[in-house]
Amino acid sequence: MSYTMYSVFNSSNPLKHNHIYSLDGELIVLNDDGQPDFELVMSRFRSYKPTPLPPVQFVVFDIINHKHTWTTSLPLIQRKEVLSKALRPHQNMTKIKWLQGNAEAYFSAVCKKDLEGIVIKNPTSTYKVNRTSDWFKIINYKYTDGLITGYRKGEFGLVLESFEGETWGIMEHMPTKARREFYEIARRQHVSDSKKYVFLETSLPCKIR
């Protein structure tokens, strides 16, 4: 474990028998609603204040090495069994909860709690570093309404702001068909420009994911 991980666990070892393990997981900090909050994670590790820091949990997805033996070639369901035997209860470490089947109902429950989403995995799949068809992430996308006020001259990018005039930044991804429709509408407008941007006379409403 790194220095950061020791700071999370207060130097206590959540692994059994003090063997060497390699784990795949994610550090999380929960907000007041009990939901993982990425911004709280970043502020937690950027803080140098001596005041009490928010508690961090390491959520373990998978085990890659067990007692100096690589487990990446084992099927996922077997790695889950190895992981269960390797970890002992600890307030700052927990295994990701998983279930077999009922993906639609599980995703619906995740959406109701406003969580990020779920990952569907083939129980016979081996461990892969890169993307694989055996693992499929289903994201609970959030949508909001805003305005397109202009676009970037070089690399594609739309200038966004709220209906209240708050600048939101640049949106760099848009379906090809929607891009063509946007440029067709923009060409009919009177515009002004700067060195890097073209600004629309009439802002266009849009839905942002």
Side-chain angles (χ1 to χ4, degrees), residues 88-163:
R88 57 188 175 194
H90 193 284
Q91 63 180 356
N92 296 110
M93 178 182 274
T94 184
K95 300 189 301 293
I96 191 76
K97 290 182 172 58
W98 62 280
L99 52 83
Q100 287 185 285
N102 301 309
E104 290 186 12
Y106 189 44
F107 182 69
S108 178
V110 163
C111 292
K112 288 179 180 178
K113 290 186 175 293
D114 199 28
L115 297 173
E116 181 181 351
I118 65 173
V119 178
I120 298 175
K121 296 184 178 182
N122 182 342
T124 65
S125 62
T126 57
Y127 185 89
K128 297 289 193 301
V129 175
N130 298 318
R131 290 187 178 182
T132 169
S133 58
D134 284 325
W135 297 3
F136 185 64
K137 189 171 186 178
I138 303 178
I139 300 174
N140 176 23
Y141 285 111
K142 309 296 191 302
Y143 295 87
T144 188
D145 293 314
L147 294 171
I148 302 172
T149 61
Y151 57 92
R152 201 158 47 189
K153 286 185 175 180
E155 185 181 3
F156 176 79
L158 302 180
V159 183
L160 301 179
E161 69 174 41
S162 70
F163 286 97

Side-chain angles (χ1 to χ4, degrees), residues 25-204:
E26 181 178 356
L27 291 174
I28 66 168
V29 176
L30 301 180
N31 60 23
D32 293 337
D33 296 324
Q35 297 177 333
D37 190 314
F38 179 73
E39 293 301 324
L40 287 179
V41 173
M42 299 306 294
S43 62
R44 164 66 170 76
F45 289 104
R46 287 172 180 162
S47 177
Y48 296 97
K49 297 179 181 179
T51 54
L53 296 171
V56 177
Q57 279 196 323
F58 182 52
V59 181
V60 185
F61 307 147
D62 212 330
I63 187 164
I64 304 169
N65 189 292
H66 177 245
K67 298 181 181 179
H68 303 280
T69 301
W70 292 105
T71 59
T72 50
S73 62
L74 296 177
L76 173 63
I77 197 71
Q78 191 172 338
R79 296 198 307 276
K80 292 289 188 183
E81 294 174 2
V82 174
L83 179 61
S84 294
K85 295 176 182 178
L87 298 184
R88 57 188 175 194
H90 193 284
Q91 63 180 356
N92 296 110
M93 178 182 274
T94 184
K95 300 189 301 293
I96 191 76
K97 290 182 172 58
W98 62 280
L99 52 83
Q100 287 185 285
N102 301 309
E104 290 186 12
Y106 189 44
F107 182 69
S108 178
V110 163
C111 292
K112 288 179 180 178
K113 290 186 175 293
D114 199 28
L115 297 173
E116 181 181 351
I118 65 173
V119 178
I120 298 175
K121 296 184 178 182
N122 182 342
T124 65
S125 62
T126 57
Y127 185 89
K128 297 289 193 301
V129 175
N130 298 318
R131 290 187 178 182
T132 169
S133 58
D134 284 325
W135 297 3
F136 185 64
K137 189 171 186 178
I138 303 178
I139 300 174
N140 176 23
Y141 285 111
K142 309 296 191 302
Y143 295 87
T144 188
D145 293 314
L147 294 171
I148 302 172
T149 61
Y151 57 92
R152 201 158 47 189
K153 286 185 175 180
E155 185 181 3
F156 176 79
L158 302 180
V159 183
L160 301 179
E161 69 174 41
S162 70
F163 286 97
E164 293 73 33
E166 177 186 358
T167 300
W168 282 349
I170 305 296
M171 179 171 69
E172 297 182 333
H173 302 285
M174 191 180 200
T176 302
K177 181 180 178 181
R179 288 191 193 190
R180 288 197 294 264
E181 292 173 350
F182 165 75
Y183 283 124
E184 183 63 30
I185 294 172
R187 276 194 288 268
R188 301 180 199 145
Q189 286 202 27
H190 294 292
V191 298
S192 59
D193 66 348
S194 64
K195 185 177 180 180
K196 295 182 178 180
Y197 299 97
V198 175
F199 299 101
L200 305 177
E201 182 179 53
T202 304
S203 300
L204 301 176

